[in-house]
Amino acid sequence: MVPEIAAAVGFVSGLLRTRGCVSEQQLQVFSGALREALTEHYKHHWFPEKPFKGSGYRCIRINHRMDPIISKAARQIGLSLPQLYQLLPSELTLWVDPYEVSYRIGEDGSICVLYEAAAAKPHPSSCGGMLTCKNQMMLGRDSPSKNYIMTVSS
């Protein structure tokens, strides 16, 4: 398993764990099911030599609609969709890319990096002038996130 998938699985499982409504055994089953589902889902969409390629496909999204991969793993432990909505944020974006996993809770939340690794030296055409799904979303912002703090020193 690639460490990026492990980081994503650990993050989502951790969100469920903090609510205390899921047993450790259920968390293990959920984590295994999510790991398998993500590994299969990303099988033909994982390009370490071009990390930005396929970034939109690898984005896990809860936006008042549950991401189907998460709901499939939750069904393995008997969680219904309403229960899952109670346990997870109603707005969550999780970007799982080669060498980096990051997330944002809420539409205006800050983007936080969960996992970061040094990439192999990129091929000069690896970016191809394209932006990642995450960077495109950041460019579309009219104002900074609500958690933005600016400090000035002299």
Side-chain angles (χ1 to χ4, degrees), residues 32-50:
L34 185 57
R35 183 175 42 254
E36 286 178 29
L38 291 176
T39 300
E40 180 63 28
H41 188 68
Y42 297 161
K43 187 182 343 184
H44 302 292
H45 298 274
W46 193 261
F47 309 99
E49 68 286 353
K50 295 181 181 179

Side-chain angles (χ1 to χ4, degrees), residues 2 4-5 42-48 58 96-99:
V2 295
E4 293 86 349
I5 291 176
Y42 297 161
K43 187 182 343 184
H44 302 292
H45 298 274
W46 193 261
F47 309 99
R58 294 186 306 270
V96 183
D97 295 319
Y99 311 112

Side-chain angles (χ1 to χ4, degrees), residues 1-12 34-35 38-39 41-42 45-48 50-61 67 69-70 93-104 112 114-115 132-134:
M1 173 178 45
V2 295
E4 293 86 349
I5 291 176
V9 168
F11 176 72
V12 176
L34 185 57
R35 183 175 42 254
L38 291 176
T39 300
H41 188 68
Y42 297 161
H45 298 274
W46 193 261
F47 309 99
K50 295 181 181 179
F52 303 131
K53 183 178 179 181
S55 65
Y57 186 82
R58 294 186 306 270
C59 181
I60 298 170
R61 186 94 166 99
D67 188 279
I69 295 173
I70 292 176
T93 307
L94 183 63
W95 294 278
V96 183
D97 295 319
Y99 311 112
E100 183 179 289
V101 178
S102 53
Y103 72 96
R104 180 184 68 205
C112 302
L114 286 172
Y115 172 86
T132 65
C133 177
K134 175 179 67 173

